[in-house]
């Protein structure tokens, strides 16, 4: 079992201390988190991408390049790269640049990013086209990383003729790429058909919700004639680990975070969506979030891995204004006490 560190870069006032960090402090913390995560045994770091809101990481490739300079083994990934809003040629160039700087450690997660419609409005795009644009962009991205002198014509972007992006990725077949999906069977089928990894957005639902997607992915992977040993399935979860008092310590910050996300979604959708729904700590920690002692969280992750055929789980600790000193304690505890247990799964 590989364990990754996830951050979406929310900039919030801590409801416990009343402290609100600056964008400078928050970005620096992302780099420091990743350095610590590598030291204690995490496999990867994943940074979200958002625009025009207080999720302030808008250029994850830039932050990953900074992380690359202070690490040596950590896989550099996203959660997610916005595969509809961004031009696939630019994605190919930006992440190949991080790939060569890091000696081949880039493994981006590409997703539709339709949870926040305001992004599409600001970029002058129609979210109703997202499914088709996403499939087209991902296919072109794969070709740009795997081939030179690419000639291609699609429905949404201008054609390319004998195009070779630079720099070339370290691996001639391109970086290992994940598709962020799990409720859309089209995304699942796309991942299997192109031989890409599948990252499930399990922060949004129960294990039962995502089991059909996993079954479909396994079925389509086999139907494509691919080696089962080459497939990879991951999940992502909000998480907090504490030796004695996890629930009481985490609840006020997790509550503030979920309510903050709901407000952001209502604003982005102009009131059409309520976001993640009413905050119910018991329901969330029973079904989607991981909260408890090391042993309790390891047990939950074991059930998730078995149910969803996972080989990768990425964990998000830093939401809701959690101070860095408490955050680093959690990262170190997970690395030193949990990851050795999970490595044998």
């Amino acid at each position: 079992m590989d364990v990754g560190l996830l951050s979406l870069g929310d900039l919030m006032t801590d409801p416990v201390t009343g402290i609100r960090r600056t964008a400078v402090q928050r970005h620096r913390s992302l780099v420091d988190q990743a350095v610590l995560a590598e030291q204690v045994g995490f496999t990867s770091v994943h940074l979200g991408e958002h625009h025009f809101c207080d999720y302030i990481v808008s250029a994850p490739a830039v932050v990953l390049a900074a992380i690359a300079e202070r690490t040596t083994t950590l896989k550099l990934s996203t959660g997610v790269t916005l595969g509809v809003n961004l031009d696939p040629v630019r994605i190919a160039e930006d992440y190949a640049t991080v790939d060569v700087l890091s000696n081949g450690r880039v493994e981006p997660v590409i997703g539709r990013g339709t949870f926040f419609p305001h992004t599409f409005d600001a970029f002058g795009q129609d979210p109703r086209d997202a499914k088709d644009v996403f499939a087209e962009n991902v296919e072109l991205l794969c070709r740009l990383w795997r081939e030179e002198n690419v000639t291609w014509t699609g429905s949404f972007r201008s054609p390319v003729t004998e195009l070779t992006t630079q720099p070339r990725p370290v691996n001639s077949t391109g970086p290992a790429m994940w598709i962020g999906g799990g409720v859309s069977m089209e995304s699942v089928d796309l991942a299997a058909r192109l031989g890409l990894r599948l990252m499930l957005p399990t922060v949004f639902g129960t294990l039962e919700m995502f089991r059909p997607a996993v079954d479909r992915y396994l079925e389509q992977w086999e139907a494509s004639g691919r080696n089962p040993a080459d497939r990879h399935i991951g999940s992502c979860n909000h998480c907090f680990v504490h030796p004695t008092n996890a629930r009481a310590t985490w609840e006020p910050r997790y509550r503030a975070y979920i309510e903050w996300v709901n407000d952001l979604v209502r604003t982005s959708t102009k009131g059409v969506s309520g976001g993640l729904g009413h905050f119910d700590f018991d329901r969330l920690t029973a079904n989607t979030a991981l909260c408890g002692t090391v042993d309790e969280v390891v047990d939950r992750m074991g059930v998730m891995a078995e149910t969803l055929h996972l080989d990768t789980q990425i964990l998000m600790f830093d939401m809701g204004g959690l101070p860095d000193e408490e955050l680093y304690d959690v990262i170190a505890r997970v690395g030193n006490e949990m990851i050795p247990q999970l490595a044998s799964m």
Side-chain angles (χ1 to χ4, degrees):
M1 175 64 64
D2 289 333
V3 180
L5 176 70
L6 169 67
S7 178
L8 301 186
D10 59 281
L11 186 63
M12 289 183 57
T13 300
D14 183 348
V16 176
T17 65
I19 294 173
R20 182 182 178 88
R21 284 169 291 180
T22 66
V24 172
Q25 292 169 324
R26 193 73 171 97
H27 278 80
R28 178 52 52 194
S29 173
L30 295 174
V31 178
D32 292 340
Q33 287 179 51
V35 171
L36 174 60
E38 180 181 78
Q39 292 171 353
V40 299
F42 284 73
T43 303
S44 58
V45 60
H46 302 251
L47 300 182
E49 176 187 344
H50 295 83
H51 298 272
F52 324 117
C53 65
D54 281 341
Y55 278 125
I56 60 171
V57 180
S58 59
V62 178
V63 185
L64 290 173
I67 292 170
E69 289 302 292
R70 292 184 56 195
T71 57
T72 57
T73 63
L74 201 66
K75 299 296 184 182
L76 307 171
S77 189
T78 51
V80 296
T81 298
L82 299 179
V84 179
N85 304 119
L86 304 184
D87 181 80
V89 175
R90 191 73 235 204
I91 294 175
E93 294 173 330
D94 287 350
Y95 285 93
T97 300
V98 182
D99 196 54
V100 298
L101 287 171
S102 65
N103 196 27
R105 289 189 277 141
V106 164
E107 294 186 355
V109 182
I110 314 294
R112 291 188 196 173
T114 53
F115 199 55
F116 296 108
H118 75 268
T119 306
F120 289 82
D121 292 341
F123 280 120
Q125 298 168 315
D126 189 341
R128 292 173 296 183
D129 295 330
K131 180 178 68 174
D132 295 329
V133 174
F134 182 67
E136 185 173 290
N137 284 357
V138 169
E139 292 200 41
L140 176 55
L141 177 59
C142 286
R143 289 196 60 191
L144 292 170
W145 274 340
R146 296 170 180 175
E147 304 173 30
E148 298 182 11
N149 300 314
V150 174
T151 296
W152 170 93
T153 301
S155 300
F156 297 95
R157 190 200 184 279
S158 57
V160 299
T161 303
E162 296 187 357
L163 182 68
T164 300
T165 56
Q166 294 290 352
R168 304 305 299 157
V170 172
N171 190 321
S172 62
T173 59
M177 183 166 32
W178 300 77
I179 292 294
V183 293
S184 165
M185 291 303 174
E186 291 91 350
S187 293
V188 171
D189 289 350
L190 180 70
R193 178 166 58 83
L194 296 177
L196 306 179
R197 304 174 178 198
L198 180 66
M199 183 64 70
L200 303 167
T202 42
V203 292
F204 295 125
T206 64
L207 300 186
E208 293 75 18
M209 180 186 300
F210 295 101
R211 184 55 191 262
V214 170
D215 292 341
R216 176 76 176 184
Y217 180 68
L218 299 178
E219 172 192 307
Q220 292 300 305
W221 189 274
E222 182 178 347
S224 297
R226 302 187 183 280
N227 186 345
D230 294 334
R231 71 185 182 224
H232 293 274
I233 303 174
S235 70
C236 51
N237 291 87
H238 301 146
C239 183
F240 189 77
V241 181
H242 192 277
T244 58
N245 208 18
R247 293 175 64 84
T249 303
W250 196 37
E251 193 275 345
R253 289 170 176 135
Y254 196 36
R255 176 186 295 276
Y257 175 73
I258 295 296
E259 292 175 347
W260 178 86
V261 172
N262 287 343
D263 286 343
L264 178 58
V265 173
R266 281 191 288 268
T267 299
S268 182
T269 64
K270 299 178 174 61
V272 173
S273 172
L276 300 177
H278 172 71
F279 181 81
D280 183 330
F281 192 61
D282 290 336
R283 175 183 59 82
L284 288 169
T285 54
N287 293 305
T288 58
L290 303 172
C291 180
T293 65
V294 165
D295 289 342
E296 289 170 338
V297 174
V298 166
D299 287 345
R300 287 278 308 283
M301 292 177 70
V303 171
M304 290 182 62
E306 182 175 358
T307 303
L308 299 178
H309 297 267
L310 303 175
D311 54 69
T312 301
Q313 295 189 11
I314 63 175
L315 305 176
M316 178 176 166
F317 309 112
D318 70 342
M319 75 287 287
L322 185 70
D324 282 345
E325 57 271 20
E326 294 185 45
L327 169 62
Y328 298 155
D329 283 346
V330 175
I331 293 172
R333 183 171 296 112
V334 170
N336 293 325
E337 300 178 33
M338 278 179 50
I339 288 180
Q341 297 185 53
L342 295 166
S344 60
M345 289 185 177

